Amino acid sequence: MSQMDFGLPVDLMLTLGGWFTRLRLGFGYDDMDVRKYVAKTELPVLLIMTQADELTTPDTVMAVYNAIPEGEKELYAVDKSEHAEVYFDHSEEYERVVMRFVRRAIEK
């Protein structure tokens, strides 16, 4: 995607959006890069992703996962759910995975 609906280049829109966000809200897009925060974590992390997610793409999730230090990290992935729909599409498996993760985290 090289153009947005506004007819402006995506890079320009991202740059302007970043400036606006920093000016109005006091933080920029760089501050929202979770990779730099998870790289410092000492807590167990469970990432949940779906291959069909167009908002938080599998590549984005894998970049976050790879930024987490070795240790207690787990990835739960499904194929066909859309963004934030994994629980509704796979509720039993989702609950089993999350509860197993929480139990292991509590036991340590």
Side-chain angles (χ1 to χ4, degrees):
M1 174 172 75
S2 62
Q3 297 282 322
M4 295 184 81
D5 293 338
F6 301 107
L8 297 172
V10 172
D11 289 345
L12 176 60
M13 292 294 292
L14 289 172
T15 300
L16 294 175
W19 290 344
F20 180 78
T21 303
R22 179 149 322 270
L23 182 65
R24 292 283 293 183
L25 302 174
F27 62 89
Y29 290 152
D30 290 346
D31 298 319
M32 294 182 271
D33 185 353
V34 298
R35 292 175 297 177
K36 67 182 177 183
Y37 301 106
V38 298
K40 300 174 188 175
T41 190
E42 297 176 7
L43 299 172
V45 177
L46 171 63
L47 295 176
I48 300 169
M49 75 171 207
T50 171
Q51 296 295 332
D53 196 334
E54 295 180 7
L55 183 60
T56 306
T57 65
D59 288 344
T60 300
V61 176
M62 291 310 301
V64 172
Y65 181 82
N66 291 330
I68 300 168
E70 290 301 318
E72 287 294 316
K73 62 180 182 179
E74 186 176 331
L75 178 64
Y76 169 52
V78 299
D79 288 329
K80 296 184 180 180
S81 295
E82 293 187 26
H83 184 77
E85 296 292 320
V86 176
Y87 177 78
F88 302 108
D89 296 340
H90 307 276
S91 58
E92 288 182 27
E93 182 181 17
Y94 181 101
E95 288 179 10
R96 188 172 58 253
V97 168
V98 170
M99 291 308 298
R100 182 185 70 222
F101 180 82
V102 169
R103 280 190 206 100
R104 281 198 317 241
I106 290 172
E107 290 171 357
K108 295 197 178 219

